[in-house]
Amino acid sequence: MRARVLPLASLPLLLLAGCADRSAAPTEPITVSPPQLSVATTGWTGGALTTSTIPGQDLKFLDGGLSGAQIWKSNNPETFTGTGWLMQSSRTDATRGGTATPLSGTFNTYLFHINTSGATRYVHVLVTNPQAGAITVSGKGSMYTNAEKPLGGAGTGLNYQTAKDWLYATYRTTFSNVSIPHFGAYQVYRATLNSSNMVDGRFEITASAGAYVYTVVTSTGSLTDAINATQGAAASGTIAQPGTNAYGREAGVYAASGWTGTTPVEIAAAPAHVGFCLNTSSKFAVGGSFLQDQTAGAVMTLNDSSPRTYANYGHKYDVTIALHNPGTTSRTVRFSLASNYLNSTNSPSFTYNGPITLNGTLKNIYTTPTSPKNTLSTWTIAPGANFNARVIFYVPGLITIGQQIILESI
């Protein structure tokens, strides 16, 4: 549900303090690791792959780097029990911290929350104007609950649907050149959450001057109540703080919202295999090795939230594996995606559930701890020929961090 623009009832003066615009965002890839110019045939491991996944110490880095506009995240508390704001970028809160961070130009927002209040609640996404004059905002995106999109296995659920809407540009809502007056607020969307319901949403917003973004929980669904709640206390819930042994969860503004790059790979003679890091971080070792850090750092966070975008919910990946056959005979390559997390039982019940396109064809990726690998395609490439395998996807919520691309020469 979208709603009209209303004035903020009573904005404190601190909304205008510290308003330096921090919204300059990278639009071209930023290299965050030493570039790996190519993987030669000698970079493959000889022999057939006899396991579901490739060990962490054998995974290679992708070329490319962080890309896309800044992203505003609301995922901490992931589960809420009360009413109030869940995330705000307008001021320093006495309890949860943060810093006034107006956003202008084009930026992204992502949210995921669970209602554990025991009653029906409403989650509002609001954009407000702290500027002396009016600003205009435009945008697009999707937001769903699991009552609307139940989670029942591969290709289902609210997180899957949000990601698919973005993959195919079939947004649930759009708005254009909405004028927000001084101290006014615009409701981008409102979701109704029954008790124990979840909500997942991603929006792209373009603001003509620095704006603030809020997610707010109300018991009434009233826009006036939502606006008033932006200036009150944070909603109660379970805060997952980062630490030595914990990723924590995201509530803040982060420097980039995607990963883009092309990795040249020479195809080894069969049998052989090679794997690449995908949606990984370097916070914890995997198989004794620290993987490529593909996460974005924070521009601002609430004090109890993650300093990086661990798991990259809502981020866009656009990755090309540029294959070349250096041999004198044809070589056949099998292409798979897999999750790094393995277990003898399916706990959690799944590790990835989302849509991707592989060279324009939709593939539904669904992995579990006991079945971590999805084989997507097989290609035969002529001697001396090149072939690009291009993967595009938006990282869905509820997944487990750490995937891999697997190539097998068969």
Side-chain angles (χ1 to χ4, degrees):
M1 174 180 177
R2 290 194 301 159
R4 64 193 183 280
V5 176
L6 286 182
L8 287 169
S10 151
L11 282 179
L13 291 178
L14 57 81
L15 272 178
L16 296 178
C19 286
D21 194 336
R22 305 182 183 198
S23 60
T27 56
E28 297 298 325
I30 302 169
T31 300
V32 296
S33 59
Q36 180 177 304
L37 297 178
S38 66
V39 175
T41 56
T42 54
W44 294 56
T45 299
L49 181 63
T50 58
T51 56
S52 297
T53 62
I54 292 177
Q57 66 267 23
D58 294 331
L59 291 175
K60 299 186 181 300
F61 287 13
L62 288 174
D63 283 349
L66 295 172
S67 59
Q70 290 183 348
I71 188 164
W72 181 101
K73 295 283 190 78
S74 181
N75 186 219
N76 198 27
E78 184 171 76
T79 60
F80 64 84
T81 56
T83 58
W85 57 264
L86 292 165
M87 166 60 191
Q88 56 83 17
S89 53
S90 69
R91 62 188 182 273
T92 302
D93 181 72
T95 301
R96 299 196 61 195
T99 306
T101 309
L103 296 167
S104 66
T106 298
F107 57 92
N108 295 304
T109 69
Y110 176 82
L111 68 131
F112 177 79
H113 295 284
I114 305 170
N115 175 16
T116 57
S117 69
T120 299
R121 293 290 182 257
Y122 302 87
V123 173
H124 309 249
V125 179
L126 303 177
V127 179
T128 71
N129 174 19
Q131 306 299 326
I135 66 171
T136 59
V137 294
S138 300
K140 57 192 177 185
S142 293
M143 185 164 156
Y144 293 96
T145 70
N146 59 313
E148 298 171 303
K149 298 293 179 181
L151 180 58
T156 69
L158 67 168
N159 313 95
Y160 175 95
Q161 191 62 54
T162 297
K164 187 176 181 182
D165 283 6
W166 273 94
L167 192 60
Y168 283 93
T170 52
Y171 313 110
R172 196 173 192 187
T173 187
T174 61
F175 53 98
S176 181
N177 296 320
V178 175
S179 179
I180 306 178
H182 168 59
F183 283 2
Y186 176 69
Q187 181 166 270
V188 174
Y189 211 83
R190 188 196 75 183
T192 302
L193 273 72
N194 298 324
S195 181
S196 300
N197 269 188
M198 302 178 286
V199 63
D200 180 273
R202 187 186 194 276
F203 298 95
E204 179 186 275
I205 298 171
T206 301
S208 62
Y212 294 139
V213 183
Y214 299 82
T215 42
V216 174
V217 179
T218 69
S219 60
T220 64
S222 160
L223 177 56
T224 299
D225 288 349
I227 289 171
N228 290 337
T230 67
Q231 303 308 301
S236 58
T238 302
I239 301 293
Q241 297 197 39
T244 303
N245 297 309
Y247 288 114
R249 296 197 184 278
E250 296 161 62
V253 178
Y254 298 86
S257 56
W259 183 278
T260 303
T262 297
T263 303
V265 178
E266 291 184 339
I267 305 167
H273 57 274
V274 65
F276 297 89
C277 297
L278 186 69
N279 192 29
T280 52
S281 86
S282 60
K283 183 174 176 69
F284 301 116
V286 176
S289 296
F290 291 94
L291 305 184
Q292 185 176 24
D293 193 345
Q294 296 176 3
T295 66
V299 174
M300 176 279 283
T301 66
L302 301 182
N303 293 349
D304 51 22
S305 300
S306 296
R308 302 194 69 82
T309 58
Y310 298 122
N312 287 333
Y313 288 0
H315 289 213
K316 180 183 181 181
Y317 268 75
D318 187 346
V319 172
T320 297
I321 304 296
L323 296 167
H324 172 68
N325 179 1
T328 57
T329 60
S330 294
R331 293 181 178 177
T332 299
V333 176
R334 178 188 295 144
F335 184 99
S336 303
L337 291 184
S339 171
N340 292 343
Y341 183 77
L342 309 175
N343 203 340
S344 58
T345 61
N346 284 332
S347 180
S349 56
F350 64 88
T351 49
Y352 199 97
N353 177 26
I356 74 163
T357 58
L358 176 58
N359 289 348
T361 299
L362 176 67
K363 306 285 185 177
N364 290 332
I365 306 303
Y366 191 81
T367 60
T368 69
T370 63
S371 183
K373 181 183 177 185
N374 288 183
T375 296
L376 304 184
S377 195
T378 301
W379 308 292
T380 297
I381 300 168
N386 300 312
F387 180 84
N388 286 344
R390 187 182 183 187
V391 176
I392 301 175
F393 61 94
Y394 288 83
V395 180
L398 280 183
I399 60 97
T400 300
I401 187 173
Q403 285 73 49
Q404 55 183 256
I405 292 172
I406 299 174
L407 303 177
E408 298 170 79
S409 180
I410 57 176

